[in-house]
Amino acid sequence: MKPLLIGIFSTISILTMAQSSVVNEAFLQSFADAFNAHDINAIMNAMTDDCVFQASAGPNVEGETFQGQAEVRKAFENVFKTFPDARWSNPRHLIVGDRGVSEWTFSGTKSDGTRVEVTGCDLFTFKNGKIAVKNSYRKNRIPK
C-alpha cells in the first residue's frame, strides 16, 4: 500500500477510535501505524490538547519533556527529520484502565549514514479516549 494511503487510513482509524472514551489495542495499533506512515496529523489527533511527550533522551532524568500539541508535534517532526526512514516494528500493546504500554523495535538511518536499531517501549496515560502522556524508553546500543 502506498504511504499516502496508509496515512489516510491511519488518520481515519485514529479519528474513529478517538471518538470513544475507551482506548483499546486497535487504537494503539493505529497510533503505531501513524508513526510508521510519518503521519503527523494522525499522530496528533490521537493525543489530547494538553498532551505530554517524554523523550527517551535529554538533559533531565526523565529525558526531554515536551508539553502541548505544538511542542509535541515539533518533537515528532524532528524525529522524522533526524531519521527519514524511521520505523517501529513488531509492536505489542497492553492496556489496563487508563494506562497502556507498547513495545517495539525502532530502526532508522541518520543523514550521516549512522544506522540505529534498538528495542524500546512507550508508557501511556489515557484521558477521554486519547493519549495524554507518551513516555518513551529505549535500550541504548553501542555502535559496532
Side-chain angles (χ1 to χ4, degrees), residues 35-47:
F35 264 90
N36 284 328
H38 297 200
D39 186 344
I40 194 69
N41 290 325
I43 292 166
M44 298 313 301
N45 284 333
M47 301 188 79

mmCIF file with all atom_site columns, all heavy atoms in Angstrom, residues 35-47:
data_model
loop_
_atom_site.group_PDB
_atom_site.id
_atom_site.type_symbol
_atom_site.label_atom_id
_atom_site.label_alt_id
_atom_site.label_comp_id
_atom_site.label_asym_id
_atom_site.label_entity_id
_atom_site.label_seq_id
_atom_site.pdbx_PDB_ins_code
_atom_site.Cartn_x
_atom_site.Cartn_y
_atom_site.Cartn_z
_atom_site.occupancy
_atom_site.B_iso_or_equiv
_atom_site.pdbx_formal_charge
_atom_site.auth_seq_id
_atom_site.auth_comp_id
_atom_site.auth_asym_id
_atom_site.auth_atom_id
_atom_site.pdbx_PDB_model_num
ATOM 1   N N   . PHE A 1 35 ? 2.717  6.426  13.149 1.00 0.00 ? 35 PHE A N   1
ATOM 2   C CA  . PHE A 1 35 ? 4.150  6.715  13.267 1.00 0.00 ? 35 PHE A CA  1
ATOM 3   C C   . PHE A 1 35 ? 4.905  6.130  12.083 1.00 0.00 ? 35 PHE A C   1
ATOM 4   O O   . PHE A 1 35 ? 5.770  6.786  11.505 1.00 0.00 ? 35 PHE A O   1
ATOM 5   C CB  . PHE A 1 35 ? 4.715  6.177  14.586 1.00 0.00 ? 35 PHE A CB  1
ATOM 6   C CG  . PHE A 1 35 ? 4.768  7.214  15.662 1.00 0.00 ? 35 PHE A CG  1
ATOM 7   C CD1 . PHE A 1 35 ? 3.694  7.392  16.524 1.00 0.00 ? 35 PHE A CD1 1
ATOM 8   C CD2 . PHE A 1 35 ? 5.874  8.038  15.814 1.00 0.00 ? 35 PHE A CD2 1
ATOM 9   C CE1 . PHE A 1 35 ? 3.724  8.361  17.508 1.00 0.00 ? 35 PHE A CE1 1
ATOM 10  C CE2 . PHE A 1 35 ? 5.920  9.008  16.787 1.00 0.00 ? 35 PHE A CE2 1
ATOM 11  C CZ  . PHE A 1 35 ? 4.834  9.170  17.642 1.00 0.00 ? 35 PHE A CZ  1
ATOM 12  N N   . ASN A 1 36 ? 4.591  4.907  11.711 1.00 0.00 ? 36 ASN A N   1
ATOM 13  C CA  . ASN A 1 36 ? 5.293  4.282  10.584 1.00 0.00 ? 36 ASN A CA  1
ATOM 14  C C   . ASN A 1 36 ? 4.981  4.954  9.256  1.00 0.00 ? 36 ASN A C   1
ATOM 15  O O   . ASN A 1 36 ? 5.807  4.927  8.337  1.00 0.00 ? 36 ASN A O   1
ATOM 16  C CB  . ASN A 1 36 ? 5.002  2.789  10.531 1.00 0.00 ? 36 ASN A CB  1
ATOM 17  C CG  . ASN A 1 36 ? 5.779  2.048  11.598 1.00 0.00 ? 36 ASN A CG  1
ATOM 18  O OD1 . ASN A 1 36 ? 6.884  2.447  11.962 1.00 0.00 ? 36 ASN A OD1 1
ATOM 19  N ND2 . ASN A 1 36 ? 5.202  0.978  12.115 1.00 0.00 ? 36 ASN A ND2 1
ATOM 20  N N   . ALA A 1 37 ? 3.820  5.589  9.148  1.00 0.00 ? 37 ALA A N   1
ATOM 21  C CA  . ALA A 1 37 ? 3.464  6.334  7.945  1.00 0.00 ? 37 ALA A CA  1
ATOM 22  C C   . ALA A 1 37 ? 3.987  7.771  8.007  1.00 0.00 ? 37 ALA A C   1
ATOM 23  O O   . ALA A 1 37 ? 3.829  8.523  7.044  1.00 0.00 ? 37 ALA A O   1
ATOM 24  C CB  . ALA A 1 37 ? 1.943  6.345  7.771  1.00 0.00 ? 37 ALA A CB  1
ATOM 25  N N   . HIS A 1 38 ? 4.592  8.134  9.148  1.00 0.00 ? 38 HIS A N   1
ATOM 26  C CA  . HIS A 1 38 ? 5.070  9.503  9.389  1.00 0.00 ? 38 HIS A CA  1
ATOM 27  C C   . HIS A 1 38 ? 3.916  10.498 9.207  1.00 0.00 ? 38 HIS A C   1
ATOM 28  O O   . HIS A 1 38 ? 4.098  11.601 8.691  1.00 0.00 ? 38 HIS A O   1
ATOM 29  C CB  . HIS A 1 38 ? 6.244  9.860  8.485  1.00 0.00 ? 38 HIS A CB  1
ATOM 30  C CG  . HIS A 1 38 ? 7.456  9.013  8.728  1.00 0.00 ? 38 HIS A CG  1
ATOM 31  N ND1 . HIS A 1 38 ? 8.705  9.405  8.331  1.00 0.00 ? 38 HIS A ND1 1
ATOM 32  C CD2 . HIS A 1 38 ? 7.632  7.810  9.334  1.00 0.00 ? 38 HIS A CD2 1
ATOM 33  C CE1 . HIS A 1 38 ? 9.596  8.476  8.665  1.00 0.00 ? 38 HIS A CE1 1
ATOM 34  N NE2 . HIS A 1 38 ? 8.955  7.490  9.274  1.00 0.00 ? 38 HIS A NE2 1
ATOM 35  N N   . ASP A 1 39 ? 2.735  10.084 9.643  1.00 0.00 ? 39 ASP A N   1
ATOM 36  C CA  . ASP A 1 39 ? 1.516  10.879 9.506  1.00 0.00 ? 39 ASP A CA  1
ATOM 37  C C   . ASP A 1 39 ? 1.318  11.721 10.761 1.00 0.00 ? 39 ASP A C   1
ATOM 38  O O   . ASP A 1 39 ? 0.618  11.323 11.701 1.00 0.00 ? 39 ASP A O   1
ATOM 39  C CB  . ASP A 1 39 ? 0.321  9.955  9.259  1.00 0.00 ? 39 ASP A CB  1
ATOM 40  C CG  . ASP A 1 39 ? -0.960 10.704 8.958  1.00 0.00 ? 39 ASP A CG  1
ATOM 41  O OD1 . ASP A 1 39 ? -1.052 11.923 9.227  1.00 0.00 ? 39 ASP A OD1 1
ATOM 42  O OD2 . ASP A 1 39 ? -1.899 10.049 8.456  1.00 0.00 ? 39 ASP A OD2 1
ATOM 43  N N   . ILE A 1 40 ? 1.945  12.892 10.785 1.00 0.00 ? 40 ILE A N   1
ATOM 44  C CA  . ILE A 1 40 ? 1.942  13.728 11.980 1.00 0.00 ? 40 ILE A CA  1
ATOM 45  C C   . ILE A 1 40 ? 0.529  14.157 12.376 1.00 0.00 ? 40 ILE A C   1
ATOM 46  O O   . ILE A 1 40 ? 0.224  14.252 13.564 1.00 0.00 ? 40 ILE A O   1
ATOM 47  C CB  . ILE A 1 40 ? 2.887  14.948 11.808 1.00 0.00 ? 40 ILE A CB  1
ATOM 48  C CG1 . ILE A 1 40 ? 3.156  15.628 13.155 1.00 0.00 ? 40 ILE A CG1 1
ATOM 49  C CG2 . ILE A 1 40 ? 2.351  15.920 10.790 1.00 0.00 ? 40 ILE A CG2 1
ATOM 50  C CD1 . ILE A 1 40 ? 3.983  14.820 14.108 1.00 0.00 ? 40 ILE A CD1 1
ATOM 51  N N   . ASN A 1 41 ? -0.356 14.367 11.418 1.00 0.00 ? 41 ASN A N   1
ATOM 52  C CA  . ASN A 1 41 ? -1.723 14.767 11.764 1.00 0.00 ? 41 ASN A CA  1
ATOM 53  C C   . ASN A 1 41 ? -2.477 13.645 12.465 1.00 0.00 ? 41 ASN A C   1
ATOM 54  O O   . ASN A 1 41 ? -3.179 13.889 13.454 1.00 0.00 ? 41 ASN A O   1
ATOM 55  C CB  . ASN A 1 41 ? -2.487 15.237 10.517 1.00 0.00 ? 41 ASN A CB  1
ATOM 56  C CG  . ASN A 1 41 ? -1.947 16.555 10.007 1.00 0.00 ? 41 ASN A CG  1
ATOM 57  O OD1 . ASN A 1 41 ? -1.530 17.420 10.775 1.00 0.00 ? 41 ASN A OD1 1
ATOM 58  N ND2 . ASN A 1 41 ? -1.927 16.712 8.702  1.00 0.00 ? 41 ASN A ND2 1
ATOM 59  N N   . ALA A 1 42 ? -2.336 12.426 11.982 1.00 0.00 ? 42 ALA A N   1
ATOM 60  C CA  . ALA A 1 42 ? -2.993 11.289 12.637 1.00 0.00 ? 42 ALA A CA  1
ATOM 61  C C   . ALA A 1 42 ? -2.418 11.078 14.036 1.00 0.00 ? 42 ALA A C   1
ATOM 62  O O   . ALA A 1 42 ? -3.160 10.796 14.982 1.00 0.00 ? 42 ALA A O   1
ATOM 63  C CB  . ALA A 1 42 ? -2.826 10.029 11.799 1.00 0.00 ? 42 ALA A CB  1
ATOM 64  N N   . ILE A 1 43 ? -1.104 11.223 14.176 1.00 0.00 ? 43 ILE A N   1
ATOM 65  C CA  . ILE A 1 43 ? -0.467 11.075 15.496 1.00 0.00 ? 43 ILE A CA  1
ATOM 66  C C   . ILE A 1 43 ? -1.049 12.089 16.469 1.00 0.00 ? 43 ILE A C   1
ATOM 67  O O   . ILE A 1 43 ? -1.474 11.742 17.574 1.00 0.00 ? 43 ILE A O   1
ATOM 68  C CB  . ILE A 1 43 ? 1.062  11.256 15.374 1.00 0.00 ? 43 ILE A CB  1
ATOM 69  C CG1 . ILE A 1 43 ? 1.679  10.102 14.589 1.00 0.00 ? 43 ILE A CG1 1
ATOM 70  C CG2 . ILE A 1 43 ? 1.706  11.391 16.758 1.00 0.00 ? 43 ILE A CG2 1
ATOM 71  C CD1 . ILE A 1 43 ? 3.111  10.362 14.132 1.00 0.00 ? 43 ILE A CD1 1
ATOM 72  N N   . MET A 1 44 ? -1.085 13.344 16.049 1.00 0.00 ? 44 MET A N   1
ATOM 73  C CA  . MET A 1 44 ? -1.543 14.397 16.951 1.00 0.00 ? 44 MET A CA  1
ATOM 74  C C   . MET A 1 44 ? -3.036 14.317 17.230 1.00 0.00 ? 44 MET A C   1
ATOM 75  O O   . MET A 1 44 ? -3.483 14.678 18.322 1.00 0.00 ? 44 MET A O   1
ATOM 76  C CB  . MET A 1 44 ? -1.157 15.771 16.402 1.00 0.00 ? 44 MET A CB  1
ATOM 77  C CG  . MET A 1 44 ? 0.348  15.980 16.270 1.00 0.00 ? 44 MET A CG  1
ATOM 78  S SD  . MET A 1 44 ? 1.346  15.495 17.715 1.00 0.00 ? 44 MET A SD  1
ATOM 79  C CE  . MET A 1 44 ? 0.651  16.543 19.006 1.00 0.00 ? 44 MET A CE  1
ATOM 80  N N   . ASN A 1 45 ? -3.833 13.794 16.283 1.00 0.00 ? 45 ASN A N   1
ATOM 81  C CA  . ASN A 1 45 ? -5.272 13.604 16.522 1.00 0.00 ? 45 ASN A CA  1
ATOM 82  C C   . ASN A 1 45 ? -5.536 12.567 17.598 1.00 0.00 ? 45 ASN A C   1
ATOM 83  O O   . ASN A 1 45 ? -6.597 12.571 18.217 1.00 0.00 ? 45 ASN A O   1
ATOM 84  C CB  . ASN A 1 45 ? -5.986 13.206 15.228 1.00 0.00 ? 45 ASN A CB  1
ATOM 85  C CG  . ASN A 1 45 ? -6.181 14.369 14.287 1.00 0.00 ? 45 ASN A CG  1
ATOM 86  O OD1 . ASN A 1 45 ? -6.252 15.518 14.709 1.00 0.00 ? 45 ASN A OD1 1
ATOM 87  N ND2 . ASN A 1 45 ? -6.255 14.082 13.000 1.00 0.00 ? 45 ASN A ND2 1
ATOM 88  N N   . ALA A 1 46 ? -4.577 11.691 17.837 1.00 0.00 ? 46 ALA A N   1
ATOM 89  C CA  . ALA A 1 46 ? -4.730 10.660 18.867 1.00 0.00 ? 46 ALA A CA  1
ATOM 90  C C   . ALA A 1 46 ? -4.344 11.163 20.256 1.00 0.00 ? 46 ALA A C   1
ATOM 91  O O   . ALA A 1 46 ? -4.515 10.453 21.244 1.00 0.00 ? 46 ALA A O   1
ATOM 92  C CB  . ALA A 1 46 ? -3.887 9.446  18.512 1.00 0.00 ? 46 ALA A CB  1
ATOM 93  N N   . MET A 1 47 ? -3.829 12.393 20.329 1.00 0.00 ? 47 MET A N   1
ATOM 94  C CA  . MET A 1 47 ? -3.330 12.928 21.594 1.00 0.00 ? 47 MET A CA  1
ATOM 95  C C   . MET A 1 47 ? -4.201 14.091 22.081 1.00 0.00 ? 47 MET A C   1
ATOM 96  O O   . MET A 1 47 ? -4.787 14.819 21.274 1.00 0.00 ? 47 MET A O   1
ATOM 97  C CB  . MET A 1 47 ? -1.877 13.357 21.431 1.00 0.00 ? 47 MET A CB  1
ATOM 98  C CG  . MET A 1 47 ? -0.989 12.184 20.988 1.00 0.00 ? 47 MET A CG  1
ATOM 99  S SD  . MET A 1 47 ? 0.764  12.546 20.988 1.00 0.00 ? 47 MET A SD  1
ATOM 100 C CE  . MET A 1 47 ? 1.115  12.390 22.745 1.00 0.00 ? 47 MET A CE  1
#
